[in-house]
Amino acid sequence: MRKAIILFAAMLSLFGGRAMAQRCLPGMSAVEVKASMVDGFYTGNSRDCGYSFGVYYSVFKGNANTWSFGGEYLQTYKPYGEKGRIPLAQFTGEVGYNLHLISDYSQTLHLYGGLSALGGYETVNWGDKILPDGSTLHNGDAFIYGGVLTLQADFYLSDKVALTANVKERFVFGNSTGHFHTQYGIGVKFIIE
């Protein structure tokens, strides 16, 4: 019996540091905060790009796939005249499914591909139809709908916190200001048991 205990203790010391993380198990959930650049690289005086912020809630299903639900604020600008720009803002909600594509052996890096439906509201120049030079703006506010294709990588810092990087393509309809927006950004994901 003593030899068995010694052998067991030796095996634990050899393989004790090799336990795999318990991540992405069915029933787990996560809250994620994201920030993105939209249609280019945004700086304070950019004329043809923007930024977005979003908060999402995800539920893990089998094989590390997830359902996600969230909301996003997107702000872009359209060039006007020599140096002017017109603000365009979208307030949207999303519901989507993310398919787990690949992960490394240690469950530190996960890659997902996703498809979401979105709906919300778009406002052009915050509803003001008259521009500073006296011109009238013909694009108006509208309810919008569409979809989102997403490619996202999650890098786990611990079992409870992951850094994310994503690329998204939004297809938006119901408006008169443009139907496609490309986003790329980063985020932080907090795992909830």
Side-chain angles (χ1 to χ4, degrees):
M1 178 72 173
R2 185 169 185 228
K3 288 182 182 180
I5 292 173
I6 292 171
L7 180 61
F8 181 72
M11 288 177 66
L12 279 178
S13 67
L14 286 174
F15 300 106
R18 300 181 62 111
M20 301 311 291
Q22 298 295 308
R23 297 178 180 148
C24 306
L25 298 176
M28 287 181 148
S29 58
V31 174
E32 183 177 1
V33 179
K34 295 182 182 181
S36 300
M37 296 289 175
V38 180
D39 298 333
F41 188 79
Y42 177 77
T43 62
N45 55 4
S46 297
R47 295 185 62 215
D48 196 15
C49 58
Y51 56 88
S52 70
F53 297 102
V55 177
Y56 295 85
Y57 175 76
S58 300
V59 178
F60 289 94
K61 297 300 179 186
N63 298 324
N65 300 329
T66 64
W67 280 101
S68 64
F69 313 89
E72 191 167 278
Y73 169 74
L74 180 138
Q75 173 83 48
T76 61
Y77 297 93
K78 299 296 179 187
Y80 177 72
E82 291 287 323
K83 296 181 181 177
R85 62 184 186 172
I86 299 171
L88 178 135
Q90 294 179 352
F91 303 88
T92 56
E94 290 182 27
V95 175
Y97 190 75
N98 300 301
L99 182 65
H100 181 254
L101 301 175
I102 193 168
S103 62
D104 67 340
Y105 178 74
S106 66
Q107 299 292 313
T108 302
L109 180 65
H110 291 263
L111 185 64
Y112 292 91
L115 180 63
S116 302
L118 71 78
Y121 190 75
E122 176 182 273
T123 181
V124 180
N125 202 31
W126 299 105
D128 190 1
K129 293 283 191 185
I130 306 299
L131 298 174
D133 64 359
S135 299
T136 302
L137 184 63
H138 294 287
N139 299 92
D141 298 353
F143 287 100
I144 56 175
Y145 60 93
V148 181
L149 289 174
T150 305
L151 183 63
Q152 178 165 311
D154 294 353
F155 180 77
Y156 281 82
L157 302 175
S158 71
D159 287 345
K160 300 288 186 187
V161 179
L163 296 179
T164 66
N166 64 73
V167 176
K168 296 170 68 171
E169 184 66 33
R170 291 167 62 118
F171 308 94
V172 180
F173 304 100
N175 61 356
S176 61
T177 58
H179 302 297
F180 303 99
H181 293 288
T182 303
Q183 299 173 241
Y184 58 94
I186 57 173
V188 179
K189 183 181 282 190
F190 302 97
I191 310 302
I192 304 168
E193 296 282 335

